[in-house]
Amino acid sequence: MLSIDGVTDLWDQLFGAQPDPPGLLVLLTAVAGLLAVALRPVWRVARNAVTIAHEGGHALFALLTGRKLRGIRLEFDTSGLTLSAGRPTGPGMILTLLGGYIAPSLVGVLGAWLLGGNRITMLLWLAVVLLLLMLINIRNAFGVVSLLITGAIVFVVSWYASPQVQAAFAYAGVWFLLFGGVRPVFELQTLRGRGRMRDSDPDQLARITHVPALFWVGVFLVVNLTALAVGGFLLAGQWLPELSATL
């Protein structure tokens, strides 16, 4: 059992602020996050993290609007599916469908806000908790393996890594979500333009709301670009003077 001092240390580690990371680390992790999204071979693998956030967004909005979550599937090709029960129309279904494509970017903004307060360990532990909660609702083997591996990596970094490594990992992950929230919107519209994905989130929204699917694609893009701007400011804004002096 943990002693009182051990519990106090654990509490301080979780809720205390970590040392300020170097300004150059913020810049380098931004470049790393951008490259992970821009380089196709890396993106094919890293996109799984965006899919996890995407399906988690569907699930969270479904629960918040009173729908019953039936299960989540994560596939090897980085696609996913979240099933919920409730009215097939109305605000609950609309918000559930909206939640997917904007979730990675919104998670990125939340992460940027926590990092802006130097709550690096809290961010990593929160990620582990959310992955475990999502794991309960996974309904296929690949999804279970994907979440376990992702959660294990985050936990090991949060528990065993040095503060510098934790900072680099957390900043790179948040930058990746901010950049990674934008690319799937363009990929979605490209596939829609080729006549594929006729049952995509914006197409379902169009059938429910009688508003063109292209409008909803635009909503996704505006929200995610705004999130990128806000998150980028939170991550890099306080370090711009230091970066200018360094460069």
Side-chain angles (χ1 to χ4, degrees), residues 150-232:
T150 305
I153 293 172
V154 178
F155 174 76
V156 168
V157 171
S158 68
W159 192 260
Y160 296 105
S162 66
Q164 294 78 12
V165 172
Q166 287 187 20
F169 182 84
Y171 271 86
V174 170
W175 278 117
F176 172 74
L177 287 175
L178 291 170
F179 288 122
V182 176
R183 177 167 177 168
V185 181
F186 288 101
E187 294 177 337
L188 166 67
Q189 186 54 31
T190 298
L191 292 173
R192 291 189 67 258
R194 296 172 182 171
R196 300 166 61 183
M197 294 189 70
R198 296 183 181 275
D199 208 31
S200 67
D201 293 349
D203 289 289
Q204 293 184 63
L205 284 164
R207 289 194 289 269
I208 293 173
T209 63
H210 306 292
V211 176
L214 190 59
F215 169 83
W216 296 109
V217 175
V219 169
F220 296 153
L221 184 60
V222 169
V223 170
N224 292 355
L225 287 175
T226 301
L228 175 59
V230 172

Side-chain angles (χ1 to χ4, degrees), residues 131-149:
L131 289 169
L132 288 175
L133 291 175
M134 190 172 175
L135 180 63
I136 299 172
N137 294 287
I138 292 294
R139 296 294 182 265
N140 67 321
F142 178 79
V144 171
V145 172
S146 180
L147 283 180
L148 285 176
I149 291 176

Side-chain angles (χ1 to χ4, degrees), residues 49-89:
V50 174
T51 302
I52 290 172
H54 179 113
E55 300 305 328
H58 282 314
L60 178 60
F61 277 89
L63 292 172
L64 289 176
T65 55
R67 298 178 64 81
K68 185 174 182 179
L69 188 60
R70 294 293 192 187
I72 304 169
R73 294 180 62 90
L74 303 172
E75 305 295 347
F76 184 74
D77 62 357
T78 72
S79 65
L81 177 66
T82 298
L83 297 175
S84 62
R87 289 185 56 194
T89 59

